[in-house]
Amino acid sequence: MSKRDYSLLGPDGARAVETGLAAAEWYHTDVPRKVMKELMQRSDQPAIRDTMILYGCMIAFAAGGIAFWGTWWCVPFWAAYGVLYGSASDSRWHECGHGTAFRTAWMNNAVYEIASFMIMRNSATWRWSHARHHTDTYIVGRDPEIAIMRPPAFVRLIGAFFGIPDVIDFFPRMIRNALSGPTAEERTFVPQSEWAKVQRVAIVYTAIYAATAATAVATGSILPLMVIGLPRMYGAWHHIMTGLLQHGGLADNVIDHRLNSRTVYMNPISRFIYWNMNYHVEHHMFPMVPYHALPRLHEVIKHDLPAPNRSIASAFAEMWPALRRQLAYEDYFLKRDLPPTAKPYREDFHRAALGDLPDALPAE
Amino acid sequence: MPQWIRACATDDIDEEDLIRFDHGGATYAIYHSPEGDFFATAGLCTHENIHLCDGLVMGHLIECPKHNGQFDYRTGEAKRAPVCVNLRTYPVRVDGTDVYIEVP
């Protein structure tokens, strides 16, 4: 299956549909209904607390950056502001898009819209994109959110730490969406009833960025862009660092999240920025469980999962060599051992759909 | 021709919860509302054929376990993306401790 075609309109996607790999039934760890109900319960309190901390810190750091503008003292303020703007917005976009962060719907929607703007994702388009990511996680030609395609494009990956490929993709797309609605690829996963909304959102984004740029020109300073827009680049590194670990180096075209997703233990600051998405196998297996309950879910099902990586550094040490091997042999992937308490990987779930893969999967 | 089928006992479903009920090659979801009333809908989400029985009941909403789309299970109305198509509902009656639904 080398020479993957990641286009949503290409042959790999069509093949996934034909073979039943798309929209398949995925493996789930057994969890008693009462336990799962308790884990799924929604609450406003944790997300209100975290949102107040987030926005409060952003205001304080931006104020510091502006106050010290023109001196080196502004650098740490912008560095901190940038990570909250350009990385924490990714996790807020994600959790509020699922509708699980808050119990109250309008709170989810409000934070989702703000975060979508900051992370430079059309809020109407990406709600559907992410639904597809959960239906067909890392199914080639179906999942529009595959962060590391094979063979890995290392220059692009490194550029992503500075937001470069995302920003280069975003602005022309925003203009196209504003002029004519979703693109042909976007129309494969955004229902027609939402196309006008995609266009409206793009028009609003265009107006805000145009006003910000005009203010920068009028004042002869990039300071307005330091507040709006540029932090998506200078603060992107954290969400790329954590996001690449979600699925990097693991299997594609499988229907068991234990094979294609990674759980990593992280420090409390990264977990706040990332809103506990380091428990990524758990999130994909049970996307209704709110971020604040994921550590408890992890305790419930960890007997059935590969051992989590102990730190961000150890996860990169595992992933990076695998990505390098994929340069030479793109079918290579990491296959982590399961503990003795786990149910075995159900290769038969997806083997038929994998078709021409050799019997001995190139994994370790 | 529609017929009434016994789906479950009243105490088979906790309040503010649901169970799956399969009959005649079709799958249904039976709900027990916070007020103690019973309702029935199609068992699969209209978005991507996911069984709703693993979802979360919040008041009068059922949330799909895969993509978090929501329906009002009393009317079947789609309430939250990614669901756009309403859920089919079925009449329910309670006879003693038995819950019946009317199926086509």
Side-chain angles (χ1 to χ4, degrees):
Chain A
M1 195 193 266
S2 56
K3 303 300 174 197
R4 289 159 171 76
D5 185 336
Y6 289 92
S7 163
L8 302 185
L9 303 170
D12 282 43
R15 183 163 169 265
V17 173
E18 286 167 16
T19 58
L21 197 54
E25 188 168 346
W26 287 64
Y27 175 80
H28 290 91
T29 302
D30 292 332
V31 178
R33 174 73 182 165
K34 283 191 183 303
V35 174
M36 184 49 62
K37 270 181 66 179
E38 190 273 325
L39 289 167
M40 290 190 295
Q41 290 307 311
R42 304 297 154 73
S43 169
D44 285 333
Q45 190 276 331
I48 289 175
R49 176 201 63 208
D50 288 349
T51 303
M52 290 176 69
I53 293 171
L54 175 67
Y55 290 158
C57 287
M58 287 181 69
I59 291 168
F61 290 139
I66 293 168
F68 290 108
W69 185 242
T71 76
W72 286 105
W73 289 106
C74 74
V75 172
F77 288 100
W78 289 123
Y81 174 77
V83 168
L84 298 183
Y85 185 114
S87 286
S89 58
D90 174 60
S91 61
R92 274 58 183 175
W93 161 83
H94 176 265
E95 274 297 281
C96 294
H98 276 285
T100 52
F102 297 88
R103 181 179 177 85
T104 305
W106 72 261
M107 294 184 187
N108 276 315
N109 291 333
V111 175
Y112 177 76
E113 292 295 336
I114 294 167
S116 297
F117 172 78
M118 290 197 292
I119 200 68
M120 294 188 181
R121 293 172 189 156
N122 185 301
S123 60
T125 307
W126 279 73
R127 193 183 287 280
W128 300 93
S129 153
H130 198 63
R132 176 69 73 80
H133 173 63
H134 273 270
T135 302
D136 296 326
T137 309
Y138 269 62
I139 303 294
V140 176
R142 293 287 298 173
D143 184 349
E145 297 184 7
I146 295 180
I148 307 176
M149 298 177 183
R150 303 187 201 177
F154 279 96
V155 173
R156 182 182 170 87
L157 287 182
I158 292 166
F161 281 87
F162 306 97
I164 293 168
D166 290 342
V167 170
I168 288 174
D169 177 77
F170 171 74
F171 281 101
R173 188 182 294 274
M174 178 184 74
I175 300 295
R176 281 161 60 193
N177 287 163
L179 292 174
S180 57
T183 64
E185 277 210 334
E186 289 165 347
R187 289 174 192 219
T188 67
F189 56 83
V190 180
Q192 190 168 0
S193 60
E194 299 293 302
W195 291 357
K197 188 174 178 185
V198 171
Q199 190 166 14
R200 284 198 302 274
V201 168
I203 291 169
V204 171
Y205 287 8
T206 304
I208 295 172
Y209 285 116
T212 306
T215 306
V217 171
T219 59
S221 168
I222 67 163
L223 191 54
L225 295 170
M226 291 295 288
V227 179
I228 296 173
L230 282 178
R232 175 62 178 82
M233 301 182 77
Y234 68 77
W237 64 271
H238 190 280
H239 96 262
I240 298 300
M241 175 184 73
T242 52
L244 292 180
L245 295 176
Q246 292 176 353
H247 309 282
L250 304 177
D252 59 12
N253 291 334
V254 294
I255 48 179
D256 185 335
H257 291 111
R258 301 175 300 175
L259 282 164
N260 70 8
S261 304
R262 178 183 280 110
T263 288
V264 183
Y265 290 154
M266 293 185 182
N267 66 79
I269 294 174
S270 287
R271 280 178 51 197
F272 173 80
I273 294 168
Y274 197 24
W275 252 9
N276 281 343
M277 279 305 119
N278 52 307
Y279 296 103
H280 214 65
V281 183
E282 292 84 349
H283 167 67
H284 267 280
M285 206 179 270
F286 299 105
M288 295 181 65
V289 174
Y291 76 95
H292 51 78
L294 286 176
R296 281 184 286 140
L297 173 61
H298 173 68
E299 291 301 319
V300 171
I301 69 172
K302 67 181 181 184
H303 67 278
D304 200 35
L305 310 183
N309 297 89
R310 308 301 299 181
S311 67
I312 294 172
S314 78
F316 264 89
E318 173 190 82
M319 177 185 73
W320 207 253
L323 298 183
R324 290 185 63 181
R325 284 191 66 176
Q326 287 175 350
L327 277 178
Y329 183 47
E330 68 178 83
D331 284 342
Y332 175 79
F333 65 93
L334 288 162
K335 185 176 176 185
R336 283 91 41 89
D337 291 335
L338 288 169
T341 49
K343 289 185 179 174
Y345 292 125
R346 290 288 305 277
E347 306 287 2
D348 52 312
F349 270 28
H350 42 255
R351 182 167 288 278
L354 290 171
D356 55 358
L357 260 187
D359 288 339
L361 290 172
E364 61 181 27
Chain B
M1 173 143 179
Q3 56 182 323
W4 287 95
I5 302 293
R6 182 187 181 280
C8 60
T10 51
D11 60 4
D12 284 344
I13 320 174
D14 292 341
E15 283 193 0
E16 207 168 15
D17 203 2
L18 81 163
I19 61 168
R20 173 176 170 176
F21 171 63
D22 294 338
H23 175 77
T27 186
Y28 305 89
I30 316 294
Y31 305 83
H32 193 175
S33 76
E35 296 82 15
D37 299 320
F38 289 85
F39 298 88
T41 72
L44 298 175
C45 180
T46 58
H47 173 226
E48 285 195 349
N49 290 333
I50 303 298
H51 280 284
L52 292 171
C53 59
D54 295 323
L56 178 65
V57 175
M58 292 178 287
H60 299 122
L61 297 175
I62 171 64
E63 185 172 279
C64 173
K66 187 76 172 179
H67 302 103
N68 309 83
Q70 293 180 342
F71 303 92
D72 185 328
Y73 58 78
R74 297 171 301 178
T75 62
E77 183 185 1
K79 302 291 281 187
R80 182 181 187 279
V83 296
C84 301
V85 177
N86 293 346
L87 199 57
R88 183 167 181 184
T89 60
Y90 300 90
V92 172
R93 66 177 168 85
V94 176
D95 188 356
T97 58
D98 295 320
V99 179
Y100 292 82
I101 69 169
E102 188 181 45
V103 299

